[in-house]
Amino acid sequence: MAHVQRLSGGRGWQARYRDADRREHARNFKTKRDALRWLDSVTASKVRGDYSDPRAGRATVGELAEIWFDTTLPLKPSTRANYRSLLDTHVLPRWSEREVGSLTMSDTGTWVAEMSAHRSASVTRKSLGVLRQVLELAVRDRRMAVNPALGVTQPRLPMTEQRVLNAVDLQSLAEAMPTRRDRVLVLTLGWVGLRFGEAVALEARDTDLLRRRLRITRSATEVRGRLEMGSPKTHAARTVAIPAFLGEELAALMAESGGETAPLFADVSGSMIRGTNWKRRTFDPAALAIGLTPPPLRIHDLRHTAASLSILAGANVKSVQQQLGHRSATLTLDRYGHLFPDELDTLGDALETLRLGAPADSGRILDHSAAVIEIGAGL
């Protein structure tokens, strides 16, 4: 039910209605027309299915953020750690005490603009993404009608050029490593294209050297100083190919390992190596020693190198997708499409060959534009 009544003393009009839970809501207006218009808007929102309880909108962003964060428990520990960091560092300091029902798109847009002036585009976009997910929970809970973090203009991510090594530089980098383990790890990353966490999680049982295959089923991620074991990034196991020389290198390394379930790339204590320490103590000095810096060479650049070498060897898109563990061939093309050979000249030559080899009476088909003009002239 809804109705409008005049306030005592003629000081305006009050609009009242009851929601589905029989709770009464009221709001005062200067004119009867404004009161009726507000009631009409409430009725329309109920019909559309986007009605939100004004009282529910009084919950703060901080309160809902903790509820939302609890829903991320099924995600990977590294993802949750990133979300927690973004919440504590960028989102909650600004919005913790703000009622969700009071947020507007201009509020979030101003915040994004201010962040862009002091933070990187990546951090700004990720922080907005976290706020958007918190407010989306508020929308689903009917605490607000629309998400004011949607449609906000975001800073563009800078274009970063992929750095790839040729086969000679990759071998030089491997030879500059201090131990056999480090050398084979570089070769595995640079020729096969595993993510670092996938490589260090490899065990002897994951190898099939007779068929020259590796089975990728796990990935190790460093989260707040601790190594967390989980599934690969796409949550899907995959089998990848290795060249024969790398199979021999892995066989020699396995002979020194501690058994079927021991990490192939273990440190001196037999534990999995940590990417942060390995890069600083081993990878960076080796890259510097052979002149691969500046700019600093990243471990992930070896993954780009592997993609480049596979394409140079003639691998098709689907093979590269399988090797790298991308969700789709579209993602592979988006990242490495520029490395595939340009086939436009080949296409042009093939079309010319088709025309030259066409039957003599197909000229009227190939020269269809002239036929159209002749027909048109006869109308």
Side-chain angles (χ1 to χ4, degrees):
M1 310 181 46
H3 66 278
V4 173
Q5 65 182 23
R6 193 174 185 87
L7 294 172
S8 61
R11 292 174 299 177
W13 295 82
Q14 185 178 74
R16 309 176 70 87
Y17 73 92
R18 291 183 184 274
D19 60 24
D21 296 325
R22 305 296 296 170
R23 289 178 297 187
E24 191 170 62
H25 303 269
R27 187 171 175 181
N28 297 338
F29 298 90
K30 290 183 179 181
T31 67
K32 184 177 182 180
R33 175 178 296 181
D34 289 339
L36 290 171
R37 184 177 297 146
W38 178 71
L39 285 178
D40 288 343
S41 67
V42 171
T43 301
S45 67
K46 290 181 178 180
V47 172
R48 291 192 304 268
D50 57 12
Y51 170 78
S52 60
D53 186 343
R55 296 177 186 176
R58 294 172 188 167
T60 65
V61 173
E63 293 168 348
L64 285 184
E66 298 306 324
I67 297 174
W68 167 78
F69 186 71
D70 288 341
T71 68
T72 67
L73 191 59
L75 300 180
K76 288 180 174 292
S78 57
T79 302
R80 297 194 77 227
N82 288 333
Y83 283 160
R84 187 73 256 177
S85 177
L86 291 167
L87 276 173
D88 295 340
T89 307
H90 304 294
V91 177
L92 294 182
R94 177 63 175 270
W95 303 112
S96 179
E97 301 302 320
R98 186 71 174 268
E99 294 182 356
V100 293
S102 68
L103 260 68
T104 64
M105 183 176 289
S106 59
D107 291 332
T108 54
T110 300
W111 174 61
V112 168
E114 292 172 352
M115 279 198 67
S116 299
H118 302 95
R119 303 289 181 179
S120 68
S122 176
V123 169
T124 301
R125 292 169 68 96
K126 289 177 181 177
S127 299
L128 176 62
V130 168
L131 178 63
R132 182 184 295 128
Q133 292 185 69
V134 172
L135 297 181
E136 189 59 33
L137 176 63
V139 173
R140 293 198 303 268
D141 285 349
R142 304 289 185 178
R143 298 177 184 274
M144 58 198 318
V146 295
N147 189 336
L150 291 175
V152 174
T153 302
Q154 304 180 63
R156 290 186 177 182
L157 291 172
M159 297 295 293
T160 56
E161 185 176 354
Q162 295 172 355
R163 187 174 185 186
V164 299
L165 305 182
N166 57 39
V168 174
D169 286 341
L170 177 59
Q171 187 64 34
S172 297
L173 178 62
E175 296 300 332
M177 292 291 155
T179 68
R180 180 201 300 272
R181 176 208 66 181
D182 299 317
R183 178 166 59 84
V184 179
L185 177 55
V186 166
L187 293 173
T188 302
L189 294 171
W191 282 101
V192 184
L194 303 185
R195 300 175 180 91
F196 185 81
E198 296 171 343
V200 298
L202 281 173
E203 300 173 353
R205 59 179 175 170
D206 299 318
T207 65
D208 184 348
L209 300 185
L210 185 63
R211 297 179 58 241
R212 298 199 298 273
R213 297 286 190 271
L214 296 178
R215 182 70 175 164
I216 311 304
T217 61
R218 299 172 302 280
S219 182
T221 306
E222 195 170 351
V223 180
R224 296 182 178 179
R226 296 180 56 186
L227 281 177
E228 300 280 354
M229 189 68 70
S231 60
K233 186 173 183 178
T234 58
H235 298 281
R238 71 185 190 279
T239 299
V240 300
I242 59 174
F245 84 91
L246 184 56
E248 297 173 0
E249 295 276 8
L250 287 170
L253 190 65
M254 288 168 57
E256 304 173 357
S257 67
E260 285 289 298
T261 60
L264 278 181
F265 303 107
D267 60 18
V268 291
S269 67
S271 303
M272 284 183 292
I273 61 177
R274 297 169 181 262
T276 304
N277 293 338
W278 188 74
K279 183 178 187 303
R280 184 180 69 254
R281 298 172 182 174
T282 306
F283 184 81
D284 288 347
L288 182 62
I290 63 173
L292 291 181
T293 56
L297 184 70
R298 304 174 306 161
I299 295 177
H300 199 73
D301 290 331
L302 297 185
R303 182 166 162 84
H304 298 321
T305 295
S308 173
L309 293 174
S310 294
I311 294 169
L312 186 63
N316 59 38
V317 177
K318 291 298 293 183
S319 296
V320 177
Q321 175 201 348
Q322 168 73 12
Q323 192 82 345
L324 298 181
H326 286 162
R327 289 186 182 276
S328 68
T330 300
L331 177 58
T332 306
L333 281 173
D334 286 344
R335 293 188 180 178
Y336 302 112
H338 63 288
L339 297 176
F340 284 91
D342 187 348
E343 297 183 353
L344 291 180
D345 289 338
T346 303
L347 175 60
D349 292 342
L351 292 174
E352 179 66 13
T353 300
L354 177 64
R355 183 181 189 281
L356 293 175
D361 63 352
S362 64
R364 70 186 66 178
I365 299 175
L366 293 174
D367 195 15
H368 65 278
S369 58
V372 171
I373 294 174
E374 183 177 354
I375 292 173
L379 293 178

